[in-house]
Amino acid sequence: MKIYNTLTKTKEEFQPISKEQVGMYTCGPTVYHYAHIGNLRSYIMEDVLEKELRYEGYSVKRVMNITDVGHLSSDADTGEDKMLKGAKRENKTVMEIAKFYTDAFFSDCEKLNIKTPDVVEPATNCIDEFIEMITKLLEKDYAYIAGGNVYFDTSKLKEYYTLSSHNEEELMVGVRDDVDEDENKKNKTDFVLWFTKSKFDNQELKWDSPWGVGYPGWHIECSCISLKHLGENLDLHCGGIDNIFPHHTNEIAQSEAYLGHKWCNYWFHVHHLNDKSGKMSKSKGDFLTVSLLEEKGYDPIVYRMFCLQSHYRKPLEFSYEVLDSVAAGYKKLRNRIAKLDKSGDTDMKLAAEYKKKFIEVVGNDMNTASGITMVYDVLKADTNDATKLYIIKDFDYVLSLNLLAGEIVSDQQTSVDSEMEAYILDMIEKRAMAKKERDFATADSIRDELAAKGIVLKDTREGTTYEILG
Ligand code: AMP
Ligand code: ZN
């Protein structure tokens, strides 16, 4: 398996510390609202990564935290606690909010065929471990107390920017909302390990600690939960790219200061899903959820396929037009597979060859789009249907697109199809206009845009026609 490692900024051969078990840590959701489909893009691609590792024969232990305390509205330790914001919005307690949105998150994951990690640990379960780690960081002089809070002292490290280049503009990606300077900090990049005093003194959940009654910072939870379940040496840590700074940078700082040695070998980051106005985020208020897609008549698995058709290291723009074309392609694919005849013997030699090729393709830094193309290749292969079904089922362990779930008979796609047709006709007309005005660059870019969605234009004497591949 080859994987791009944010730590080394290169694509590397994945070599786990132990052949027995791969340790994989995933930053879980902050449960103050529904996960939006952008968050879920990250979890879908991490799910494919985990399943690809298992498909290649590794045994994987995957751990995920649930952020139910400590994540402030700015990732830079300022602003109000996100959980409290959610509780106020809905007139509930923080724990009620946490339970409701944790359940909602796993229900979305189930609809998207995202496997539940082997260990799921809410941050509020681990207060003693946080206190133990912070105590040791203070003893080792990596932390200091100021104005009632405990801070990590980033100037004590030989290198702080291990994951990210020291480029302020780039780093601001993860530092949203109201960033105002905390005067207690010795260095701008220092961060809070334990709060007893914050601008907002209305924190609902507080615990006793050697530094007074308070609550943990956000970053400490992932370091502690990972160390608790996966030990001192971690293979793989995942998240969306906004986690690179400050969250993952700070996780490395405190874990390695605590341990006194290198902690995690591979860092896997999924690029953002954007809408037309930029990065989709929960703080924007108006965001797309799995339930909303369902209300509009989409099978959530269509969204999984939408994600798999793009590379995880590229930004992905959401649009209903593209989702419609994926839905149409998905329906055709499922129906083609449903027509295959189960009877007959499986050609196991051919199946093994396809498995090897699938590993070469998807195991090459997660080329999931080519993984899907391989399903079409199998359908065209010179073999019997039983073998095709066997191979597609095998691939679907990783892709998890319910490819063998039978024919899609519902007409839910009809309105979608007509919307899609309107879109294609509109594009054809725009292209014709561009050609008339001898603007061939625009005409070509329209044809390319459609081709990227599997829509091929044919210029005939009667005019332009189209064919949808898939
Ligand atoms: P949160 O619930 O905000 O802690 O985020 C959960 C996960 O979603 C983290 O791994 C984030 O990096 C990731 N994430 C946040 N926004 C997006 C987005 N627009 N596209 C993809 N991943 C995202
Ligand atoms: Zn985390």
Side-chain angles (χ1 to χ4, degrees):
M1 167 116 199
K2 287 197 191 70
I3 185 174
Y4 181 86
N5 186 356
T6 312
L7 194 61
T8 56
K9 301 197 172 38
T10 49
K11 195 156 92 174
E12 291 176 34
E13 195 62 51
F14 178 69
Q15 270 165 348
I17 300 157
S18 151
K19 290 237 172 350
E20 304 290 303
Q21 193 171 65
V22 173
M24 179 172 178
Y25 186 84
T26 295
C27 287
T30 309
V31 283
Y32 73 112
H33 218 319
Y34 290 106
H36 55 65
I37 59 171
N39 300 126
L40 291 161
R41 177 189 190 196
S42 288
Y43 295 113
I44 288 170
M45 301 317 286
E46 291 165 7
D47 180 68
V48 176
L49 175 62
E50 178 189 348
K51 287 175 178 163
E52 176 62 24
L53 285 167
R54 290 183 192 270
Y55 186 73
E56 295 191 18
Y58 294 104
S59 144
V60 180
K61 180 175 177 188
R62 178 141 175 232
V63 177
M64 180 195 271
N65 67 304
I66 298 288
T67 300
D68 54 359
V69 67
H71 195 175
L72 306 190
S73 62
S74 154
D75 289 354
D77 290 341
T78 58
E80 203 172 0
D81 185 290
K82 290 190 179 191
M83 293 303 299
L84 200 61
K85 247 173 131 170
K88 276 197 203 153
R89 185 187 64 230
E90 297 180 25
N91 228 348
K92 289 186 182 148
T93 66
V94 163
M95 283 333 265
E96 279 166 353
I97 287 287
K99 165 138 192 20
F100 181 83
Y101 288 112
T102 302
D103 291 348
F105 172 73
F106 285 112
S107 151
D108 286 347
C109 287
E110 204 181 317
K111 288 174 187 167
L112 292 162
N113 285 348
I114 298 170
K115 180 183 168 297
T116 303
D118 304 290
V119 178
V120 176
E121 181 97 88
T124 49
N125 268 4
C126 301
I127 302 298
D128 288 346
E129 284 93 339
F130 303 157
I131 291 175
E132 193 268 324
M133 188 165 182
I134 298 167
T135 305
K136 188 148 172 203
L137 289 172
L138 278 162
E139 275 166 21
K140 288 180 112 181
D141 211 21
Y142 279 108
Y144 59 92
I145 300 171
N149 297 333
V150 186
Y151 293 86
F152 187 91
D153 186 346
T154 52
S155 70
K156 294 280 163 70
L157 299 170
K158 271 202 226 86
E159 206 197 342
Y160 170 62
Y161 295 102
T162 42
L163 269 187
S164 42
S165 58
H166 186 176
N167 173 336
E168 294 288 330
E169 211 170 293
E170 199 180 292
L171 299 183
M172 289 311 282
V173 175
V175 189
R176 303 182 283 260
D177 301 343
D178 44 317
V179 183
D180 46 24
E181 271 320 306
D182 176 348
E183 297 193 340
N184 295 321
K185 289 185 186 181
K186 289 188 193 165
N187 312 288
K188 203 172 159 202
T189 45
D190 292 354
F191 54 93
V192 180
L193 297 166
W194 188 269
F195 288 97
T196 70
K197 295 255 171 344
S198 79
K199 214 166 60 178
F200 302 91
D201 227 6
N202 51 356
Q203 186 70 13
E204 207 178 284
L205 297 176
K206 289 186 185 179
W207 295 265
D208 212 2
S209 83
W211 320 287
V213 175
Y215 58 101
W218 172 37
H219 315 295
I220 194 80
E221 67 176 87
C222 287
S223 290
C224 265
I225 293 173
S226 173
L227 290 172
K228 179 176 170 184
H229 296 286
L230 295 165
E232 289 195 3
N233 298 291
L234 178 63
D235 286 307
L236 188 55
H237 192 125
C238 316
I241 51 154
D242 61 323
N243 280 165
I244 296 176
F245 185 87
H247 185 48
H248 290 166
T249 304
N250 291 349
E251 276 188 50
I252 295 176
Q254 66 204 357
S255 299
E256 297 193 351
Y258 172 81
L259 293 168
H261 60 73
K262 185 175 174 183
W263 171 47
C264 174
N265 290 338
Y266 298 88
W267 289 83
F268 175 86
H269 290 107
V270 180
H271 223 292
H272 282 150
L273 180 83
N274 300 317
D275 52 25
K276 287 205 171 63
S277 59
K279 183 198 159 214
M280 197 169 286
S281 80
K282 287 186 208 175
S283 50
K284 274 194 193 162
D286 184 25
F287 53 77
L288 286 170
T289 59
V290 167
S291 315
L292 198 82
L293 294 184
E294 282 182 306
E295 276 167 33
K296 287 181 181 283
Y298 295 97
D299 176 348
I301 294 302
V302 167
Y303 177 64
R304 185 177 173 107
M305 178 136 157
F306 172 94
C307 291
L308 264 53
Q309 284 185 340
S310 284
H311 196 255
Y312 76 95
R313 278 199 289 123
K314 288 201 180 118
L316 177 59
E317 190 175 306
F318 179 80
S319 82
Y320 281 109
E321 287 85 1
V322 179
L323 194 66
D324 286 346
S325 84
V326 175
Y330 178 65
K331 184 175 173 179
K332 278 193 182 159
L333 181 60
R334 275 267 299 268
N335 292 352
R336 266 176 83 178
I337 295 168
K339 287 198 183 77
L340 297 176
D341 178 7
K342 285 189 198 66
S343 56
D345 292 334
T346 306
D347 179 347
M348 294 307 287
K349 190 166 161 277
L350 189 71
E353 281 167 23
Y354 268 99
K355 177 164 182 151
K356 190 164 168 270
K357 193 155 167 240
F358 187 85
I359 289 175
E360 273 166 26
V361 166
V362 182
N364 184 6
D365 198 25
M366 300 258 296
N367 189 346
T368 48
S370 297
I372 293 176
T373 306
M374 278 194 70
V375 177
Y376 291 97
D377 293 344
V378 172
L379 286 169
K380 282 183 270 169
D382 183 17
T383 185
N384 66 359
D385 284 2
T387 306
K388 291 181 187 177
L389 275 170
Y390 180 93
I391 300 171
I392 293 171
K393 186 172 176 206
D394 196 47
F395 291 176
D396 207 33
Y397 171 75
V398 177
L399 303 173
S400 298
L401 293 170
N402 297 343
L403 292 175
L404 271 70
E407 196 184 353
I408 301 177
V409 278
S410 78
D411 248 1
Q412 64 173 30
Q413 243 71 261
T414 343
S415 66
V416 168
D417 282 348
S418 61
E419 261 179 64
M420 165 119 117
E421 187 175 51
Y423 158 73
I424 299 170
L425 294 178
D426 182 40
M427 294 295 270
I428 290 176
E429 197 177 310
K430 283 192 182 125
R431 179 168 168 266
M433 291 286 286
K435 277 170 102 178
K436 216 165 143 191
E437 286 162 20
R438 306 191 67 72
D439 179 2
F440 296 111
T442 303
D444 285 350
S445 80
I446 291 174
R447 197 196 45 217
D448 292 348
E449 189 182 323
L450 289 170
K453 293 170 187 165
I455 304 156
V456 181
L457 299 185
K458 280 194 197 121
D459 292 316
T460 68
R461 254 187 291 170
E462 285 74 41
T464 305
T465 61
Y466 67 89
E467 187 191 345
I468 303 174
L469 301 179

